[in-house]
Amino acid sequence: MRISAVLCGFLLTAVFALAGCATPDRAKPATTSSLYDRLGGMPAITAVVDDFVGNVATDTRINARFANANIPRLKTRLVEQICAGTGGPCTYSGRDMKTAHAGMAISNDDFDALVDDLVKSLNKFKVPAREQKELLGILGPMRQDIVSR
Ligand code: HEM
């Protein structure tokens, strides 16, 4: 009798332990969603890119570079690029970064200025530090294809 009670207790513990193992996601749903979802999807990415390109337009460090740019197309492609790069349902339709910036003689300072303009928008839209870091971690490595002097 006593042995079966102990055995029963053991089995119950094992069942609960297994049940716990079977539902690990319940404890951490937010940490496993894509960066795209955590940023707020297309509406949030579009709003950030609009604001960011607005910052670039008034940034005298780099705005001359965009004098002949097709701004609506640039915005569309930036949104696509960020959407696709963060795990969203988009396909980037533009040129690769090396081709797109070829012959522009972009410097590290130019690149830093542009990132600065982006961070201003991310802060304005209250994108949390973790998501900012992840996004910059995706865009940062593009420096080697964009900077050419
Ligand atoms: C992380 C950094 C950057 C990203 C992700 C980025 C992204 C892009 C994208 C997606 C395009 C469009 C390509 C296409 O239409 O095929 C583009 C074009 C362009 N980018 Fe960048 N870029 C970055 C840095 C810079 C910097 C630092 C400058 C100059 C200061 C710059 C100047 C331009 C210009 C002038 C165009 C051409 C726009 C046009 O012809 O309409 N970019 N960039």
Side-chain angles (χ1 to χ4, degrees):
M1 189 68 170
R2 186 177 294 184
I3 288 177
S4 66
V6 169
L7 189 63
C8 189
F10 173 77
L11 283 174
L12 272 176
T13 308
V15 165
F16 280 116
L18 280 174
C21 284
T23 55
D25 283 346
R26 213 189 290 168
K28 46 170 185 170
T31 59
T32 52
S33 62
S34 68
L35 177 56
Y36 171 83
D37 283 332
R38 282 178 285 129
L39 287 172
M42 283 304 253
I45 292 173
T46 306
V48 166
V49 167
D50 272 348
D51 192 70
F52 159 50
V53 173
N55 288 342
V56 171
T58 57
D59 185 343
T60 53
R61 294 173 294 179
I62 53 172
N63 58 4
R65 304 286 193 149
F66 294 85
N68 298 316
N70 177 336
I71 298 298
R73 185 185 65 184
L74 179 61
K75 281 185 183 175
T76 302
R77 294 201 165 151
L78 281 168
V79 169
E80 276 176 11
Q81 190 184 40
I82 292 173
C83 168
T86 55
C90 306
T91 304
Y92 174 62
S93 67
R95 294 163 289 173
D96 66 84
M97 291 297 91
K98 201 166 191 128
T99 309
H101 301 90
M104 291 187 193
I106 293 172
S107 67
N108 275 308
D109 284 352
D110 295 334
F111 191 92
D112 291 341
L114 183 124
V115 170
D116 198 34
D117 292 336
L118 173 60
V119 170
K120 273 186 194 146
S121 299
L122 294 173
N123 286 332
K124 181 170 170 182
F125 286 90
K126 303 205 182 321
V127 173
R130 178 184 163 194
E131 280 69 28
Q132 290 199 22
K133 206 171 156 214
E134 281 182 47
L135 180 60
L136 296 179
I138 292 168
L139 300 179
M142 296 176 184
R143 181 190 291 265
Q144 66 191 59
D145 286 333
I146 293 171
V147 169
S148 57
R149 76 177 160 103

